[in-house]
Amino acid sequence: MRSSPGTHVWLLVIAITSLVIALSPDGLEHHLLHRNSSNLYQLSHHPVRALLGSAFWIADPADLVLYALLFEVFHAPVERWLGTLRWVVTVATAHIAATLISQKVVLEAIQDHDVPRSMAHVVDIGVSYGIAASVGILTYRIPRPWRWLYLAAAVAFFAVPLCTSHTYTDLGHAISLAVGLACRPLTWGVTPGKSVALEPPPRAH
């Protein structure tokens, strides 16, 4: 946990908000989820809160265990490898880019009358965009030839739903994966397969 503090602080916040959702009556749960969504309505009225808040809530508290596992498998190794700052830059860039682009697609679909106007108020929260970004950048930590097998599996995992379901969330996942892959310059200077070294604690004299 010392080597990936950001991952575990983020996970702790999600655990707290999930507990709040689990203990809230239906009316309050609905209000909290909508208030912290990054949908078109919230982005147009409260853009900073929408982009930031949506990264700390999940719709179903029962999914917390799954997200905890995904954080340990993907976020924690990337943070240990690249350091907290570069990891944050990667996931934040992906989260913001995927949210804005996918919601722009929703806006255009509403304007073209392809989807109902209620899509502007749909609940859009969760941490999956950040996970997809970590999946992408983690590609460069895996040695060849396993790197190409991992990359093919990651692309297939996110591309198949995009091609079959065509939802804005699937588009956001694909964008986040692409952002993670595009963040390769952040891996320069870091030896593949090795983590950023932690400074040893000071010794008493």
Side-chain angles (χ1 to χ4, degrees):
M1 292 179 66
R2 283 182 59 240
S3 62
S4 52
T7 294
H8 293 94
V9 169
W10 190 5
L11 189 57
L12 176 61
V13 174
I14 293 172
I16 293 172
T17 58
S18 296
L19 180 62
V20 170
I21 290 296
L23 298 178
S24 297
D26 291 341
L28 179 57
E29 174 186 348
H30 180 82
H31 171 74
L32 290 172
L33 293 179
H34 278 271
R35 188 176 186 274
N36 290 282
S37 289
S38 53
N39 54 36
L40 286 173
Y41 178 83
Q42 293 295 336
L43 284 172
S44 62
H45 290 80
H46 311 284
V48 176
R49 187 184 73 192
L51 288 171
L52 182 62
S54 60
F56 294 96
W57 297 78
I58 56 177
D60 187 354
D63 292 335
L64 180 61
V65 174
L66 173 61
Y67 280 111
L69 176 62
L70 293 174
F71 269 50
E72 296 298 339
V73 172
F74 296 108
H75 280 320
V78 172
E79 186 180 4
R80 293 189 192 105
W81 173 43
L82 299 180
T84 300
L85 179 59
R86 283 180 282 187
W87 166 74
V88 168
V89 168
T90 301
V91 298
T93 300
H95 177 76
I96 294 172
T99 298
L100 294 180
I101 295 173
S102 62
Q103 288 301 317
K104 174 64 173 177
V105 172
V106 173
L107 176 60
E108 292 178 350
I110 292 174
Q111 293 172 338
D112 293 339
H113 306 289
D114 292 331
V115 298
R117 297 187 66 85
S118 59
M119 286 294 293
H121 299 271
V122 71
V123 172
D124 181 24
I125 58 173
V127 299
S128 56
Y129 290 166
I131 293 174
S134 282
V135 170
I137 200 169
L138 192 61
T139 301
Y140 305 114
R141 189 186 181 195
I142 299 174
R144 298 180 181 89
W146 305 111
R147 175 182 300 180
W148 311 121
L149 180 61
Y150 170 88
L151 178 60
V155 170
F157 183 83
F158 292 108
V160 170
L162 177 62
C163 295
T164 56
S165 300
H166 310 291
T167 69
Y168 71 89
T169 302
D170 295 328
L171 175 62
H173 289 152
I175 293 169
S176 295
L177 178 68
V179 170
L181 291 169
C183 285
R184 185 174 187 176
L186 295 178
T187 70
W188 295 347
V190 181
T191 303
K194 293 187 178 181
S195 303
V196 174
L198 296 174
E199 294 185 4
R203 296 180 180 179
H205 294 286

